[in-house]
Amino acid sequence: MLDGMADDFFKKIVDDANAALLYIATSVEGSLKTREFIVKYANHKANKFFTNSSESIKGLPLIQFNNGGEIILLANKVLENQESEVFNISRIEDTDTINYNVKIESFYDGVLITITELQLEYLLDKESKLPLGNIQARTRELEISNLFGVRVLDSNDSIICYLKPILDQKNEIKDFLIDYINNRMGEIANEETELIAGQTILEYYPKNLENGVLGILAECYNTGENKEYTREFIFNDVSIWLSTRAVKMNDGLVLFSKDVTQEKKYEAQLFIQNRLLSEAEHVANIGSFRWNLGKEEIKYSDNVYRLFGFEPNEFDNKYDRLLTFLHPNDLEKVKASFKEARINKAKLDLVFRVYTKSSELRYMNTIGECYQKEGNWYMVGVIRDVTKQIESESVLQIKNSELKRTNADLEAFNRVASHDLQEPLRKIQMFVSRLDEEEQGHLSIRSQQYLDKIKSSSDRMRNLINNLLSYSKVDEVTEQPRRVDLNDVLNNVLEDLGERINDLNATVDSVSLPVVNGIQFQLEQLFANLIGNSLKYVQEGVQPQIKILSSVVNGNTSSVDALLPNINYVKLQFIDNGIGFEEKYQEKIFEIFQRLHGKTEFSGTGLGLSICKKIVQSHNGAILAKGELNKGAEFTIYLPTLL
Amino acid sequence: MDKLKILLVDDDEDDRQFFADALEGIELNTELCQLENGKSCMEYLLGDPENTPDLVFLDLNMPIMNGFECLEAIRRTPHLKDLLVAIYSTSSAERDIEETFEKGANIYIKKPSSFTELKKSLKQVVKMNWAYHLNDFKKENFLLKI
């Protein structure tokens, strides 16, 4: 242990002592009774005691020297009992009988042996248990080694120096001379150690004045009190933090300094991290806590206090104090959860209401987990202010229930429209048709016109109801999409519209169409509505022409926003030469009940294109309209291709 | 040939009147009996085997016993299980049509909104009924939507 540490300074101190000082340690982990001891350190007097010369006994087994055997026996005893042993030895040296007092005590991993020559006073005072005279010197030396030992033995990396005060005319300390300094200083400061010794501390490091070091050391010297301080030093532009302990010894000071630069760095990092954490908590409305579950105090981060409307540390951190913030209705719930967590180390996750300092009601969410460390159970966790989330959640719930009501209303409406509205209408139409049949030729021209008006109005109404129904039913389809050949779809529609196409002498030209995934009857309705529109909004004196084109585009390359990237779409274009529409209406025409034309001019319910849009959307596609007044209209449909 | 015996079960008085007038209008040799709901229909049919008609027109939405229940009751009765039943309803809902066919209806007629159409439909059904009786058509070939 002392290897490599027996620097000159230490040697000097112990060599100057009036006692033989010896540190021995077991060489091997042998059986307890036969422990061998190797000399790890011996001062000058110790060498002399055992060898009668100044030859070093360091590193040698103690057994081979005078009195070595008996010391080893007692050293074993000391190690076993952990109690010091004191005994006297008489020796004949140069015809004189000399009495030695030997103290053996456990010291770190080994045994410290102090051997003091007993003086006459002692022999005259045999009754006394207290050693006298030079024993005091021995004790001081022991004190020194005890005092310094901690640092010297423990830390290889300590700077050790010995300073002597320099006094001014008024007998006050103006500086200290560096009488001795070990190599460590040179290593740390990257300088030649030999150059440091001999300088004063102000010569070596002038800032020792302003940083208060000189003052501290002067006080240490004057009062004899030990001093500790930590300062930053800049050596060759490198910042080094030294933590120093100063002890007065004889006519000087012994300084032990440790390089704590790394610790300081970590400390600074920790400080920054703590600040960051604190700010993050602040921003996120989060506080954290740590709770030794065996105790009543909870350690909060600053933001916990702020969450409750307080300044950091403003309220006491007792568990019971926390409970006082709670909304009365949540108190039992929270107590039960915490109890469960404390007893069963259960995970904690609960939302509760609290009243803040200003009596504001806030919702808090606490999440905590338990862990065990050094026999204690702790819970660490966070507290979040979730008031906003809870509030928006409840708004969402209200909206949801409103939506549900709206949906229920819509369903009720559908029922009314499909049955209750249709029934009386059917009766009206039935009676009108009977009236028409029975009174054929008997009605006045005007009455017949009225009857015809009733007929056309009720037809329109039936149409409207049917369209409304199909609009609201687009989403109701439970049928699974399957492969639909659009050529079949087109043929079916053309068959249904055949009569009108013939009447108008219209032409419908189509390229061969692809197969898509979809609901056949909806796609038929889509085609029927689009082609039906083209047959409806025709220009007078122009033969209606309808062209249907088909191609494939990729969502990436298309400029249509509604298309998803990386998906291929079938692009269908329905182009006619009808009355068209103004460009500004190209969005509006898909809105429900939007009619661009007066109902007398063109029949329609204003729902056809809304239904088209709904159908296309439920097929994950898109529909666009393009038109030019009196030139024609073009509807483009995008449907995902088959994979 | 005997008169074709037709039974109409419908709670709507106007519709019964339309039906009777239309049947009269098509000038085929028929005899019509009208009842107001499924319950009175079953009482009539089970009361006397002589009452069994050639063809039943059954409305769906009726009080006391609706058309679906009445149809099931007819099919549960041994001597009525082959009776020709035409559903005569305002509903055009696909699931109603499916359900009645599953329960054993032969024909589904949606109540039309024109008297002329009604006459046309009835004519078609009555004529088919004759074909059914004369040629011993298989029932499953007779599913008809009008």
Side-chain angles (χ1 to χ4, degrees), chain B residues 117-132:
Chain B
E117 253 176 70
L118 177 58
K119 284 194 285 192
K120 235 161 90 182
S121 303
L122 289 186
K123 213 174 202 167
Q124 205 182 343
V125 174
V126 171
K127 278 184 173 169
M128 276 185 166
N129 182 57
W130 278 333
Y132 173 73

Side-chain angles (χ1 to χ4, degrees), chain A residues 293 339-347 369-371 377-379:
Chain A
L293 293 176
K339 198 176 163 192
E340 168 77 10
R342 285 179 92 163
I343 295 171
N344 297 327
K345 321 303 172 210
K347 235 181 172 180
E369 277 197 47
C370 299
Y371 69 94
W377 276 95
Y378 294 90
M379 175 188 278

